[in-house]
Amino acid sequence: MRRRSTTAGVVFLILAGAVAVPARQAQPDAGRLAAREAARARVGALIESFKQVTPANPSLAAELRALRDDDQRFRGEGMRLWNEKGVDSPEARAVWDKQAVLDGKNQARLDEIVKRHGWPGVKLAGLPGADAAFLIVDHAPIAFQKKYLPALEAATGRRDAVPMWAAMLDDRVRMSEGRPQRYGTQVRKEPGWTEWRLYRIEDEAHVDDRRAAVGFEPLAEYLKDFGIVYKPPGDKGKQTVKE
């Protein structure tokens, strides 16, 4: 389950200084690779089981699916304009402004839903409904994300949410706060940049282990969607990362 996780609010960072490149590391051994595959398989099986769940609240599930439609209303067009016109272009800003209005309505409605029903996990709202709740939070301001990250983590712990969702949201919160991400889900494109760039990662040498534990593909595969050729820590061709 792959999703590009971006918002209209682009992160602007002041870059200065350089982080040293770590010493070259050995490639993961067969046992470590097998463990990653087993972890991804377990998450894949969990998601397949979620697809069979009949929501306990069908009307809520239907409403959340409708909210998901609004969440995605202008995002594809906004991404296209970011890539073609630039993230600071008037055309892109106009589209993202329209999406922001819908996002605000979705966030207000999700607040009401959670107050009445608790966090809408898979058991309550079905997989599409629970996915919609995650997307609303994922595309919200940082305060809203921090408010609901614990609820999403709790749902994950009781096997009522896709593990990738909390991982992505955790990365989003960390990036917004200027901290390194843990799963490598976040990339950036600032005004004047022609390409996407990977945001810095905590303990990057083990990022693919963490990614596998929540069901993600290896980081190098994920970043191909953004035109990024990933070089892991220790690669002789890896560039220094400026902070």
Side-chain angles (χ1 to χ4, degrees):
M1 186 176 291
R2 181 181 304 170
R3 188 192 314 286
R4 292 183 178 181
S5 184
T6 51
T7 64
V10 182
V11 177
F12 299 96
L13 300 178
I14 299 175
L15 308 179
V19 175
V21 178
R24 185 169 181 82
Q25 298 173 349
Q27 293 298 312
D29 59 27
R32 189 172 174 188
L33 292 174
R36 290 175 184 173
E37 287 304 313
R40 278 192 287 270
R42 287 192 294 270
V43 176
L46 178 65
I47 293 172
E48 287 302 314
S49 72
F50 284 166
K51 294 177 181 178
Q52 309 305 316
V53 171
T54 299
N57 191 326
S59 61
L60 176 61
E63 180 183 2
L64 283 166
R65 290 196 299 271
L67 295 181
R68 187 188 190 283
D69 290 341
D70 283 345
D71 176 88
Q72 297 294 303
R73 187 78 60 194
F74 301 111
R75 278 200 153 74
E77 178 69 1
M79 287 291 295
R80 184 185 68 80
L81 289 170
W82 268 1
N83 288 325
E84 294 180 4
K85 303 284 188 178
V87 296
D88 57 345
S89 67
E91 296 91 342
R93 286 200 302 268
V95 170
W96 285 110
D97 284 347
K98 290 192 294 184
Q99 183 61 59
V101 173
L102 296 177
D103 289 348
K105 292 179 179 178
N106 278 356
Q107 292 152 25
R109 180 55 186 145
L110 184 61
D111 268 336
E112 295 171 349
I113 289 171
V114 174
K115 286 178 183 177
R116 181 173 180 181
H117 301 283
W119 180 259
V122 174
K123 295 172 186 175
L124 181 67
L127 181 58
D131 180 57
F134 158 68
L135 284 176
I136 291 169
V137 176
D138 190 50
H139 295 147
I142 177 65
F144 200 85
Q145 292 175 344
K146 291 177 69 174
K147 177 181 178 179
Y148 285 116
L149 177 56
L152 187 53
E153 290 175 333
T156 302
R158 60 178 181 267
R159 296 173 66 85
D160 199 23
V162 174
M164 298 172 191
W165 297 342
M168 292 177 67
L169 190 58
D170 183 65
D171 275 0
R172 299 274 273 168
V173 169
R174 284 169 169 268
M175 186 175 76
S176 294
E177 294 181 338
R179 295 183 290 145
Q181 60 178 325
R182 299 189 70 244
Y183 299 93
T185 63
Q186 301 303 300
V187 298
R188 301 177 295 143
K189 181 185 280 189
E190 296 184 6
W193 293 8
T194 59
E195 73 287 328
W196 291 97
R197 300 182 189 178
L198 176 65
Y199 183 69
R200 59 196 172 101
I201 301 172
E202 176 183 286
D203 185 21
E204 191 175 347
H206 296 95
V207 64
D208 276 337
D209 296 327
R210 293 191 296 274
R211 288 179 63 84
V214 297
F216 285 129
E217 72 273 56
L219 185 56
E221 293 182 22
Y222 170 72
L223 293 175
K224 288 178 182 178
D225 281 354
F226 299 92
I228 297 174
V229 178
Y230 177 66
K231 296 178 180 179
D235 190 300
K236 290 183 178 179
K238 185 176 178 64
Q239 297 177 346
T240 56
V241 178
K242 294 184 177 180
E243 301 296 345

